Amino acid sequence: MDKFIIKGGKRLEGEVNVSAAKNSVLPILAATILNGNNCTVENTPMLEDVFVICDVLKSLRADINIDKVNKRVKINTANIFANGANDELVRKMRASFLIMGPMLGRFGSFKISLPGGCNIGTRPIDLHLKGLSALGAEVSVGHGYVEAKAKKLIGSNIYLDYPSVGATENIMMAATLAQGETIIGNAAEEPEIVDLAIFLRAMGAKIDGEGTDTIRILGVKDFKEVVHKPIYDRIEAGTFMITAAITKSLIKINGVDEIHSKPIIAKLTEMGVAIEINKNSVIVDGRQKLNPIDLKTMPYPGFPTDMQAQMMSLLCTVKGTSIITETIFENRFMHAVELKRMGANIKIDGRSAVIEGIDTFTGSEVTATDLRAGAALVLAGLTAEGTTAIKDIYHIDRGYVSIEKKLRGLGADIERVHYDK
Ligand code: EPZ
């Protein structure tokens, strides 16, 4: 097992480069199932979750080459099995469930282990299944598996009860090979949905409306070879913006799309963080006194739930009262318990957290409970008085490429230490 040891209180400076978006690359790699030709994804973030979805595809007998040096993944799924993704792997990572739509689209059937929930919520898949049924699939759930069969997928008019990112992606991918037109109403509008649509269109899919709440897909017969460079990771970018704010530093962040990061930049600006926006980068000056704010997580273009934990760490260090309301997941405040071990003053009441600013965190031994909670603890450790040890950092490695190397590049005192549990 590994843990991070962080000696806090240092001012940081310099530049940091953002990697490509995990939540773009995962559906894009799943979408290669649709295409029996060579698919190349450039600038792929070498993350644990990316390796897991590649292992899932390998368990279907996809031909995959992962070039870690050049950050390139080449996939050919011409000879994959119509079924039989490795259950262990599918249960290991929820996003594996994104192979469902492509498998149904290409083979007219799939059987897959129900994905695990995770610490932040039950993570149901009812909207995914409702959408695929609307395309003509006969879906059954039982004995821990989901099974679906369809002679031919027929385009349909689907209206999502909730703008689910994963359900939008699964339905969009399946619909690319359905007969006729599919309209997805109340679709998710996240930038990662747009990036997936760009990838699908590049291989020959007929899609428009991505990035709005209505996406139209006209089924096609087959696809062609594709090379794609994914968008930057707006959540990693936001995490580094908060790094500057919480350590009262001035940092340049390369790999920032102003539109994708708008909700995050807007809230940090409201707090008094000075952010200079350039073409593909920002300069964040966190040296001013910051003010408390109220924050509510919402589907894009609202404030992203994946930045909620990181914002909580920052707001803990801002004098006054701030309120965070988490509207997306039912159990996404577990980082509050760990932050309180570091001296935070947080009261949780259902979906809301009331935060009273403290002078400073105090270093402590804490545990990452999920990916973004782990990032929040790193941020708290960077500004804490004394030393912070963070255990279970495998959660953090799922979504951040070498976060300790990138932070050390800014002058942080953070080490990855191996220990036997
Ligand atoms: C994606 O998860 C992201 N993961 C999550 O990022 C992100 O937090 C989430 O979108 C919201 O933005 C990937 O893209 C791999 P949802 P997803 O379906 O698709 C409910 C991270 O840290 N819902 O939009 O699973 C669900 O319970 C991860 O990188 C249903 O009720 O999110 C939740 O309350 C964490 N029924 C809400 O919708 C369904 O069928 C949002 O879920 C599906 C979802």
Side-chain angles (χ1 to χ4, degrees), residues 22-23 94 123-127 164-166 306 328 372:
K22 162 178 87 80
N23 290 349
R94 219 194 106 64
R123 313 292 292 271
I125 55 163
D126 55 311
L127 299 176
S164 154
V165 171
D306 292 349
I328 311 290
R372 307 300 174 183

Side-chain angles (χ1 to χ4, degrees), residues 55-290:
D55 288 343
V56 169
L57 294 171
K58 276 182 195 155
S59 73
L60 288 167
R61 275 192 30 183
D63 179 17
I64 298 187
N65 176 278
I66 301 176
D67 174 350
K68 291 186 180 179
V69 174
N70 297 303
K71 293 190 282 185
R72 178 178 299 123
V73 173
K74 283 189 170 174
I75 297 186
N76 185 303
T77 62
N79 305 314
I80 60 170
F81 286 137
N83 250 319
N86 176 303
D87 290 347
E88 199 53 40
L89 288 168
V90 170
R91 274 199 294 273
K92 187 174 174 183
M93 181 183 67
R94 219 194 106 64
S96 314
F97 214 62
L98 292 169
I99 71 169
M100 207 173 57
M103 290 295 283
L104 191 64
R106 174 150 170 206
F107 297 108
S109 73
F110 74 83
K111 180 178 178 185
I112 188 169
S113 162
L114 272 168
C118 69
N119 295 339
I120 63 177
T122 50
R123 313 292 292 271
I125 55 163
D126 55 311
L127 299 176
H128 298 241
L129 302 183
K130 202 171 146 190
L132 298 179
S133 308
L135 293 174
E138 209 182 296
V139 177
S140 60
V141 180
H143 311 291
Y145 286 88
V146 186
E147 193 156 8
K149 283 193 173 44
K151 283 191 189 52
K152 179 76 190 133
L153 291 182
I154 311 292
S156 166
N157 208 332
I158 298 163
Y159 192 84
L160 291 175
D161 303 357
Y162 180 89
S164 154
V165 171
T168 302
E169 291 167 341
N170 255 325
I171 297 164
M172 192 160 80
M173 291 188 280
T176 58
L177 287 172
Q179 195 174 307
E181 182 179 53
T182 297
I183 300 171
I184 306 174
N186 198 23
E189 302 177 26
E190 273 68 4
E192 293 75 26
I193 303 273
V194 175
D195 204 24
L196 173 61
I198 291 169
F199 175 77
L200 291 168
R201 197 180 296 121
M203 57 187 230
K206 290 193 174 9
I207 298 178
D208 65 46
E210 70 279 2
T212 74
D213 64 358
T214 305
I215 301 176
R216 292 170 185 278
I217 305 106
L218 189 60
V220 294
K221 291 258 177 299
D222 52 25
F223 296 114
K224 59 185 191 288
E225 218 168 287
V226 60
V227 178
H228 182 76
K229 187 167 180 284
I231 57 173
Y232 294 119
D233 193 317
R234 60 193 167 102
I235 306 303
E236 185 190 18
T239 305
F240 286 124
M241 290 180 208
I242 293 181
T243 299
I246 206 167
T247 59
K248 302 197 178 315
S249 306
L250 185 118
I251 290 173
K252 185 175 186 235
I253 303 165
N254 301 312
V256 177
D257 179 301
E258 181 191 353
I259 305 294
H260 298 169
S261 294
K262 204 174 203 99
I264 301 162
I265 291 171
K267 290 312 270 187
L268 289 173
T269 306
E270 188 186 327
M271 291 179 68
V273 181
I275 301 178
E276 179 194 318
I277 298 169
N278 306 309
K279 190 164 172 350
N280 274 322
S281 65
V282 292
I283 295 176
V284 181
D285 185 349
R287 296 174 296 184
Q288 297 78 350
K289 184 177 172 311
L290 302 180

